[in-house]
Amino acid sequence: MKPSTALPLPPQPAILIDSHLDAAQERSLADDVLDGLTRPFKELPPKHFYDARGAELFDRICDLPEYYPTRAERSILEQSATELAEITGAVELVELGSGTAAKTRVLLDALQAAGTLVRYIPVDVTESMVRDCAAELTSEYPGLRVHGVIGDFERHLHHIPPSSGPRIVAFLGGTIGNFPPGSRRRVLREIARLLKPGDHLLMGTDLVKDPDVLEAAYDDAQGVTAEFNRNVLHVLNRELQANFDPEDFDHVALFDRENEWIEMRLRARREIHSHVGDLDLAVHFREGEELRTEISAKFTPARLEGDLASADLELVRWLTDADGQFALTLSRPTASL
Ligand code: AVJ
């Protein structure tokens, strides 16, 4: 072989991590509490479930017999990963809300086998998750570069590094369903801005089905989801010096048939006078009064196509599991006229 005359390039570090968490993140909890707990119908956004304990409870939910979405989505990925790698030819995978990246490995394996994989870009608010998965994946996939972004996908998408070739942006698990319809379209439009021609969005969404099946998935027999729901009160107690007794609240999960979404609520078992220390805020619950903690929208193909179209995305593949419970969609920027 002819000796190269080019100067050796500085070695690319296998792992890069950017953190965008700052005081503004704590501010967001305080603002959401101030806003949400003083409304006529009390409400908190679901993103505050996920402290270390909440993330662990969510992992346990994923293993529950009643909670089918995780298993269904994984089975679709296992079925289709090779085809997805072929269609996209992706050199990099951006994953929004990457968590433990458990299902991600199925995709990385397929991209690795196709010989295109260069870089993985996990985006998550939980710093330890991003760092641990970067360390694990660089050792499991020799040559893989990981550029982790510690941040909130509602606020920090513009910090995602520019693409270095065909990219898949993955938004798995059905998390898009946490946004009510208007915000959902705004979030999708922002995500679509990460895509250039030739890039793809791979998104998981739970599907409309028998309400009994849906309600059981959010109200399991072991009470893990109830604990997950009450965890938001533990977060308020710790982060904002509140004095809620989580056991004063019942877990409620119901399917809203008109809106086709699951709602989780915490219902006061008795009249409650509590206090949020850091905000010097008095919070009153009547007996039976409810705090809405999550909506989880369930989709039909038509709803999903409408949402994608509003973000100038067109469907490339609609993939479901054998029981038709969950959908994984591959879409791409609509070719401009
Ligand atoms: C992580 C938002 C997809 O909505 O199914 C699980 C969260 N809440 N059980 C969902 C959740 C209750 C989950 N997502």
Side-chain angles (χ1 to χ4, degrees):
M1 202 194 287
K2 202 172 83 176
S4 162
T5 52
L7 286 171
L9 290 167
Q12 284 267 12
I15 299 179
L16 272 173
I17 309 254
D18 304 330
S19 178
H20 303 287
L21 292 191
D22 45 20
Q25 200 64 22
E26 284 154 44
R27 209 47 245 161
S28 122
L29 176 64
D31 285 345
D32 289 342
V33 167
L34 208 49
D35 188 35
L37 294 191
T38 59
R39 288 183 188 180
F41 295 96
K42 295 183 174 67
E43 175 167 25
L44 286 173
K47 66 176 167 191
H48 303 302
F49 283 133
Y50 301 92
D51 65 344
R53 179 168 181 269
E56 196 207 305
L57 285 165
F58 179 66
D59 278 347
R60 285 176 55 198
I61 288 174
C62 293
D63 289 331
L64 291 170
E66 296 94 336
Y67 194 76
Y68 58 85
T70 312
R71 284 184 296 277
E73 188 178 49
R74 181 176 298 116
S75 85
I76 304 169
L77 278 169
E78 282 164 357
Q79 283 286 316
S80 329
T82 305
E83 188 194 1
L84 293 169
E86 252 168 47
I87 298 172
T88 63
V91 304
E92 61 181 37
L93 175 64
V94 177
E95 186 172 17
L96 306 177
S98 48
T100 56
K103 287 169 286 194
T104 313
R105 286 172 171 80
V106 181
L107 270 176
L108 292 175
D109 285 343
L111 294 171
Q112 174 101 316
T116 56
L117 180 64
V118 176
R119 184 163 70 152
Y120 175 55
I121 304 171
V123 183
D124 204 283
V125 275
T126 311
E127 168 153 7
S128 57
M129 299 249 222
V130 174
R131 292 192 185 279
D132 293 353
C133 99
E136 283 170 24
L137 291 173
T138 47
S139 79
E140 284 171 38
Y141 297 84
L144 178 69
R145 279 155 43 202
V146 176
H147 188 154
V149 178
I150 301 164
D152 180 343
F153 59 69
E154 282 188 81
R155 295 194 299 125
H156 299 123
L157 287 185
H158 58 283
H159 290 298
I160 291 171
S163 62
S164 53
R167 141 188 290 186
I168 298 176
V169 174
F171 192 23
L172 302 178
T175 303
I176 188 68
N178 276 174
F179 297 96
S183 324
R184 186 194 305 151
R185 292 188 168 198
R186 171 181 53 77
V187 170
L188 276 176
R189 269 197 301 277
E190 282 161 13
I191 293 174
R193 294 222 308 255
L194 299 169
L195 304 176
K196 295 201 294 217
D199 294 344
H200 290 83
L201 172 65
L202 183 66
M203 188 164 68
T205 45
D206 197 11
L207 300 176
V208 172
K209 61 180 63 63
D210 179 352
D212 291 340
V213 174
L214 284 167
E215 287 176 358
Y218 290 83
D219 192 7
D220 62 280
Q222 294 171 54
V224 183
T225 309
E227 241 356 81
F228 174 75
N229 194 5
R230 290 188 192 101
N231 189 55
V232 75
L233 298 177
H234 290 285
V235 170
L236 301 195
N237 288 349
R238 189 188 59 241
E239 296 298 321
L240 299 175
Q241 312 304 314
N243 65 347
F244 293 101
D245 180 351
E247 294 310 313
D248 281 341
F249 292 83
D250 284 321
H251 167 68
V252 178
L254 47 89
F255 184 57
D256 177 331
R257 290 162 199 240
E258 193 181 326
N259 290 307
E260 298 187 308
W261 65 48
I262 280 279
E263 275 197 38
M264 292 211 310
R265 304 175 184 169
L266 290 167
R267 180 185 293 152
R269 288 181 188 154
R270 55 177 184 84
E271 184 177 33
I272 290 161
H273 289 278
S274 39
H275 187 251
V276 185
D278 283 5
L279 305 176
D280 196 20
L281 177 72
V283 181
H284 173 245
F285 280 86
R286 287 170 278 110
E287 182 180 344
E289 187 177 343
E290 293 176 331
L291 159 64
R292 181 160 71 179
T293 52
E294 179 171 61
I295 69 163
S296 188
K298 306 305 163 192
F299 289 79
T300 56
R303 170 170 307 138
L304 197 52
E305 278 205 72
D307 286 344
L308 292 172
S310 79
D312 290 322
L313 294 170
E314 66 184 11
L315 199 58
V316 176
R317 283 286 185 287
W318 166 269
L319 306 160
T320 61
D321 55 300
D323 302 321
Q325 305 216 81
F326 197 90
L328 199 61
T329 52
L330 187 72
S331 58
R332 65 176 175 216
T334 308
S336 51
L337 309 170

